[in-house]
Amino acid sequence: MDEQELKNKEREAEDNRIINEAFNHLLETYITSPHRKKVDIITKAFNFAKQAHKGVRRLSGEPYILHPLAVAQIACEEMGLGSTSICSALLHDVVEDTDYTVEDIQNIFGDKIAQIVDGLTKISGGIFGDHASAQAENFKKLLLTMSDDIRVILIKICDRLHNMRTLASQPANKQYKIAGETLYIYAPLANRLGLNKIKTELEDLSFRYEHPQEYADIVNKLSFSEDQRNRLFEDFTGPIREALDKIGIEYYIKARIKSPYSIWSKMQNKHVTFDEIYDILAVRIIFTPKKREDEINDCFQIYVALNKIYKSHPDRLRDWVNHPKANGYQALHATMMSRRGQWIEVQIRSYRMDEIAEQGFAAHWKYKEGEAHDDEMELNKWIGTIKEILDDPQPDAMDFLDSIKLNLFASEIFVFTPKGEVKTMPAGCTVLDFAFQLHSYLGSHCIGAKVNHRLVPLSHKLQSGDQVEVLTSKSQHVRPEWVTFVSTARAKNKIQAILRKDRRDLQKKGEEVLDAWLKKNGQELSTSIIDRLCEIHEQDQEALLTALGDESIILGDKDFEELLGKTKKDSTSSGWRKFVPFIGKGKKDKPSMQQETPIQELLTVNDTFNKKLPCIIREDTIGMYLFPHCCHPIPGDDILGFIDSKKHIEIHKRSCPVAVKLKSSFGPRILDAKWDMHRKLFFDATIEVEGIDRKGIFRDVAEVISDKMNVNIHRLSFTSDKGIFQGKLELRVHDREEVKLIMNRMKKVPDLKEVRQIL
């Protein structure tokens, strides 16, 4: 036996040891779970999958079978699922990656496992057409199967969680694509299914790969402030323990630390620093009720005991005990003032509530006793809403994903009908959302509503506890602007379906108008004529026919002349750049000359383009890329590239809302991109300020920017009202670090209360 054969044998033996260890760990976890002990079928599924994936390795170099084993382990240990789910997890990649078919799985393991595996297998062929994304197509298939068996989506979330845990082995462009999908689709989905622990981990892992520097900074700061938090926790909970011990309740108290992603999101949304976030620590009291029926009373008994020790915030009591969230979450949240003068949130929940909060509906099944529970009915209602979306296929992949995402938010309000019936609606919904929720006819003919007996428009946002009477008129008809009035998928889809039907009717009428006009001028309808008319009117074909149908375009003699060859002058646009190319001769912070950057030809992606290599943005290459208006990236921002429909490359911030959708919908067209700038070019940045109006405040702000920082102010505007001023400053900066430095110095200006960057 030569040396190479010996190494192969040793490697195979080591692989088998690792694989068997992982499988034995899975079996041990399953045997100690409350499910029926169907070890035989799990062993059969493992051996089948191991044989099917034999010799195949992941990008990390480990045997492929370890991935299905890890997914099955998550399903069993972290979700509490049973043998059918474990077998499906073990087999989930067999049909996609090997020669075995769904029929083979059906013959060996039965209909149910085959159905779940089929739902987890990626599809070939397009639901949305040739140009749409594979992600949207596969997600749609996943949801179609989920409608029949919720375990499909639960296993998919397990699969996604393990992929995120092992994402380091993927190239950067794949990392952004997978992390983007996770944040846009799978984390909200996990949240909607009550999988709070998994949702948090998915968010943090996505954040770690999309913004590695910010992630590392927050983790370091959390670690640095740990001792201080521990002291605060002990001081705060000491008196609580004494009070609960007197009551005689069996309980334990633990600290809940805000996740890095949640902290970062709050920093972005509230425009604050890490040190300005005061709710990093929360206290969770988990108790065991003496009787199941005493759960709610015990929650409030603990709350009353706490109120004798600390003052509670009157507006921050959240009763999800009597009114659980739609994902099954139950708890009583109160915010208490500690003796150190800090507000601390206290979450009170039973052991059962805590388990459901962490494991979602999967944990709830343990507590079922034959009857249909409210949260199970809510789940069925949610699945029914998704079925409605699937029954009304979107023509655009991103629209479809948006429609699904609108249903994944867990924040909810309770709204009453005139008869006193309670309807659960998403927070932020409008009168029009509510009308469509009741009935499509009410929505499409809605003219407004009476909310608490007061007349309000369609776009009025509802609050929890509102009583709503929808007002309709037969003459009312759906209008395009209604799409901006709604936030629920149901309403949005109904409006778009009606508008699409209206457009089809108008386009048909437009075709008839065009055909009659051509015949009048002795011409026959042809593709070349339609293309020429589209060019003349600068419209695509659908828009042109719609415009002809609604008579916003009327064809005349001038159109016919141009059709015969008298061409319009091409309207050329000089284009735009997101940077201002000041090239200084002298002090770099005070350029003495402005110079136009030479016009560079846009980079075109061809078959030889290597998508695994990053796009390097330098002074000499910046003109080769497109910078859309949506997010305004400047050096220092985490960025990515996107190959557009013309094979050019757009540069977006990784956190840009448009980029988030692109990562979810068109992942294979995502590229890694990096800055390599040398502070020669200047970029636009806009900062908003707010504070107490006083004499000299304007001078102090300008002094920080112009004198101390040597930064050029491009434009600035200030307004003052009742002693409060607001200002907007448009600056020329080299990079994001310069913006942060300016903002930090401005925060030190007396009476300046708010400094936030908007571009």
Side-chain angles (χ1 to χ4, degrees):
M1 185 181 295
D2 62 23
E3 188 178 344
Q4 187 58 46
E5 284 182 0
L6 185 62
K7 282 183 179 177
N8 290 342
K9 287 265 186 190
E10 287 174 354
R11 186 178 187 184
E12 188 178 339
E14 178 63 13
D15 286 347
N16 284 329
R17 184 188 66 76
I18 295 169
I19 292 166
N20 288 332
E21 272 185 13
F23 178 60
N24 288 333
H25 178 50
L26 173 64
L27 281 185
E28 286 167 13
T29 309
Y30 173 70
I31 288 166
T32 56
S33 73
H35 294 279
R36 284 174 289 178
K37 308 300 178 281
K38 295 184 178 177
V39 173
D40 291 347
I41 193 165
I42 293 173
T43 306
K44 185 179 177 183
F46 163 68
N47 289 328
F48 185 87
K50 183 182 175 185
Q51 182 61 37
H53 295 299
K54 189 175 182 181
V56 181
R57 294 184 179 276
R58 302 187 84 203
L59 283 180
S60 59
E62 66 181 19
Y64 193 88
I65 185 62
L66 289 176
H67 168 63
L69 273 168
V71 175
Q73 184 70 38
I74 294 167
C76 180
E77 184 174 5
E78 299 182 48
M79 276 199 193
L81 299 175
S83 60
T84 301
S85 299
I86 293 168
C87 290
S88 301
L90 288 167
L91 300 165
H92 79 272
D93 277 336
V94 167
V95 174
E96 186 180 331
D97 295 342
T98 75
D99 293 332
Y100 289 104
T101 64
V102 175
E103 287 73 23
D104 294 329
I105 303 294
Q106 189 176 17
N107 292 334
I108 300 168
F109 296 98
D111 294 343
K112 184 50 69 178
I113 291 173
Q115 181 192 13
I116 295 172
V117 170
D118 185 35
L120 292 162
T121 303
K122 291 177 184 173
I123 63 173
S124 57
I127 290 174
F128 295 102
D130 297 337
H131 303 294
S133 75
Q135 286 94 318
E137 291 167 354
N138 289 314
F139 191 60
K140 181 160 187 174
K141 181 189 176 186
L142 196 69
L143 292 175
L144 282 165
T145 318
M146 184 200 81
S147 301
D148 297 318
D149 196 321
I150 192 70
R151 288 173 290 192
V152 172
I153 207 75
L154 295 175
I155 297 165
K156 183 61 183 177
I157 290 170
C158 297
D159 178 41
R160 178 51 57 122
L161 180 56
H162 185 248
N163 283 336
M164 288 301 298
R165 287 173 177 173
T166 56
L167 197 56
S169 60
Q170 294 282 352
N173 62 322
K174 286 283 186 70
Q175 288 178 352
Y176 303 150
K177 171 243 179 192
I178 294 168
E181 279 177 15
T182 300
L183 209 53
Y184 190 67
I185 296 172
Y186 291 102
L189 192 51
N191 185 44
R192 188 58 183 76
L193 291 166
L195 306 165
N196 184 60
K197 191 176 177 184
I198 288 174
K199 182 265 300 188
T200 301
E201 187 176 352
L202 288 174
E203 287 176 341
D204 282 345
L205 287 168
S206 298
F207 175 41
R208 177 181 171 186
Y209 286 101
E210 294 227 318
H211 305 285
Q213 189 57 54
E214 284 96 332
Y215 176 82
D217 288 346
I218 290 173
V219 169
N220 287 338
K221 285 173 181 174
L222 282 172
S223 176
F224 186 74
S225 58
E226 187 177 2
D227 289 343
Q228 184 183 348
R229 281 197 313 275
N230 287 342
R231 285 196 298 273
L232 176 61
F233 176 75
E234 292 303 326
D235 290 349
F236 183 77
T237 58
I240 294 174
R241 294 176 197 276
E242 288 178 23
L244 296 184
D245 288 341
K246 284 181 185 177
I247 296 173
I249 287 179
E250 187 182 330
Y251 70 93
Y252 69 94
I253 301 178
K254 66 179 181 180
R256 190 278 291 153
I257 308 302
K258 208 172 186 70
S259 71
Y261 175 77
S262 295
I263 293 170
W264 179 75
S265 295
K266 191 159 191 177
M267 288 167 65
Q268 302 302 305
N269 296 332
K270 302 285 185 184
H271 308 286
V272 294
T273 64
F274 179 90
D275 296 326
E276 293 173 294
I277 295 178
Y278 298 112
D279 62 344
I280 288 174
L281 172 70
V283 170
R284 193 170 285 162
I285 300 171
I286 298 159
F287 68 91
T288 304
K290 290 165 187 171
K291 295 179 184 175
R292 168 73 185 272
E293 55 268 23
D294 291 340
E295 261 186 335
I296 295 176
N297 289 336
D298 288 352
C299 279
F300 282 95
Q301 187 183 4
I302 293 170
Y303 172 68
V304 169
L306 262 61
N307 264 288
K308 291 176 181 177
I309 307 167
Y310 300 113
K311 294 286 185 187
S312 63
H313 195 298
D315 299 325
R316 295 300 303 271
L317 179 65
R318 300 288 181 265
D319 179 10
W320 284 305
V321 175
N322 288 302
H323 303 286
K325 291 184 178 181
N327 61 12
Y329 180 83
Q330 276 185 290
L332 191 64
H333 288 200
T335 303
M336 305 277 183
M337 176 61 77
S338 74
R339 287 167 185 170
R340 293 190 185 186
Q342 279 181 256
W343 290 110
I344 296 179
E345 185 180 73
V346 181
Q347 302 170 357
I348 305 166
R349 53 172 86 154
S350 70
Y351 180 81
R352 179 191 70 86
M353 293 174 189
D354 184 63
E355 197 168 7
I356 290 173
E358 297 303 315
Q359 293 190 338
F361 284 105
H364 175 76
W365 294 336
K366 285 170 57 176
Y367 297 96
K368 281 172 68 176
E369 294 171 357
E371 73 274 23
H373 287 270
D374 290 344
D375 52 355
E376 188 183 358
M377 288 189 281
E378 282 291 342
L379 175 63
N380 292 333
K381 181 176 158 189
W382 178 65
I383 291 173
T385 307
I386 287 177
K387 280 182 175 177
E388 281 185 15
I389 298 168
L390 296 170
D391 290 341
D392 179 28
Q394 296 288 333
D396 181 85
M398 284 174 68
D399 283 351
F400 166 72
L401 289 175
D402 276 350
S403 296
I404 290 296
K405 187 172 168 57
L406 284 169
N407 275 267
L408 301 182
F409 296 109
S411 298
E412 284 152 347
I413 60 172
F414 300 97
V415 181
F416 295 90
T417 67
K419 294 182 179 178
E421 295 175 40
V422 180
K423 300 288 181 183
T424 304
M425 297 291 294
C429 71
T430 63
V431 162
L432 196 54
D433 283 307
F434 184 68
F436 273 105
Q437 183 68 28
L438 295 176
H439 198 281
S440 296
Y441 179 86
L442 289 178
S444 58
H445 292 83
C446 181
I447 56 172
K450 284 185 179 179
V451 174
N452 306 324
H453 309 292
R454 185 171 60 88
L455 196 62
V456 297
L458 300 174
S459 56
H460 177 82
K461 288 192 176 180
L462 300 175
Q463 303 294 323
S464 206
D466 281 346
Q467 188 170 33
V468 184
E469 180 187 352
V470 176
L471 305 175
T472 61
S473 168
K474 288 182 180 178
S475 61
Q476 179 68 295
H477 194 71
V478 171
R479 299 173 191 170
E481 62 268 23
W482 283 17
V483 175
T484 63
F485 295 169
V486 296
S487 64
T488 59
R490 180 190 178 101
K492 190 174 182 181
N493 283 333
K494 292 294 181 186
I495 291 167
Q496 287 175 334
I498 293 167
L499 291 174
R500 282 198 300 273
K501 183 180 181 301
D502 290 348
R503 275 199 301 273
R504 285 195 297 269
D505 292 343
L506 281 174
Q507 285 166 16
K508 190 175 179 183
K509 184 181 175 185
E511 282 181 29
E512 293 169 358
V513 170
L514 177 58
D515 193 41
W517 180 77
L518 288 171
K519 282 179 181 175
K520 179 185 170 186
N521 288 284
Q523 298 289 322
E524 287 290 327
L525 186 62
S526 68
T527 306
S528 59
I529 284 177
I530 291 180
D531 290 344
R532 183 70 190 111
L533 284 170
C534 289
E535 187 183 333
I536 291 166
H537 290 280
E538 297 178 349
Q539 305 265 16
D540 61 30
Q541 184 175 325
E542 284 189 3
L544 176 67
L545 292 174
T546 303
L548 291 172
D550 66 14
E551 297 181 355
S552 57
I553 291 178
I554 297 175
L555 298 172
D557 294 339
K558 189 179 176 184
D559 294 288
F560 190 64
E561 287 172 11
E562 291 191 24
L563 196 60
L564 293 177
K566 294 182 182 178
T567 58
K568 290 172 71 175
K569 287 184 180 178
D570 290 334
S571 59
T572 58
S573 61
S574 59
W576 57 276
R577 291 289 181 268
K578 282 293 185 189
F579 55 93
V580 180
F582 284 116
I583 300 178
K585 291 183 179 179
K587 282 182 112 182
K588 67 176 180 179
D589 290 323
K590 287 191 176 179
S592 58
M593 169 184 171
Q594 180 177 348
Q595 177 183 316
E596 287 295 328
T597 299
I599 299 299
Q600 292 172 296
E601 191 175 330
L602 290 172
L603 178 64
T604 302
V605 175
N606 55 31
D607 294 339
T608 60
F609 187 87
N610 189 344
K611 294 181 182 179
K612 292 184 179 179
L613 295 178
C615 304
I616 306 297
I617 315 295
R618 299 188 302 267
E619 283 83 356
D620 61 332
T621 63
I622 195 166
M624 298 164 63
Y625 301 95
L626 296 170
F627 291 76
H629 289 279
C630 49
C631 58
H632 198 91
I634 69 174
D637 288 331
D638 291 327
I639 54 172
L640 54 77
F642 172 71
I643 303 169
D644 69 13
S645 57
K646 294 181 180 177
K647 302 290 184 183
H648 297 146
I649 298 174
E650 298 176 359
I651 302 298
H652 293 266
K653 287 184 188 176
R654 289 182 213 157
S655 57
C656 165
V658 173
V660 170
K661 294 181 185 180
L662 293 173
K663 284 178 281 187
S664 306
S665 303
F666 303 100
R669 285 151 65 178
I670 298 296
L671 305 171
D672 187 17
K674 299 186 185 304
W675 298 102
D676 183 21
M677 306 293 283
H678 304 89
R679 295 199 156 205
K680 292 179 182 177
L681 300 181
F682 280 76
F683 296 76
D684 290 337
T686 304
I687 294 173
E688 285 185 340
V689 293
E690 195 174 318
I692 308 300
D693 193 11
R694 62 165 170 82
K695 189 176 180 180
I697 187 78
F698 175 84
R699 182 199 64 230
D700 292 349
V701 170
E703 188 181 81
V704 166
I705 299 168
S706 296
D707 296 346
K708 293 182 181 176
M709 299 288 301
N710 284 330
V711 171
N712 182 27
I713 301 176
H714 176 56
R715 186 181 292 115
L716 101 96
S717 61
F718 274 75
T719 58
S720 178
D721 183 35
K722 296 176 183 176
I724 303 295
F725 83 88
Q726 291 179 321
K728 182 184 284 188
L729 302 94
E730 295 180 22
L731 313 175
R732 308 290 202 202
V733 296
H734 290 106
D735 51 35
R736 188 62 65 198
E737 200 56 45
E738 204 163 49
V739 178
K740 289 177 182 175
L741 189 58
I742 292 167
M743 291 175 68
N744 287 337
R745 292 201 179 176
M746 286 174 69
K747 284 179 179 180
K748 294 175 183 175
V749 173
D751 298 323
L752 202 60
K753 301 300 181 185
E754 184 83 29
V755 180
R756 56 183 175 269
Q757 176 203 331
I758 58 173
L759 282 176

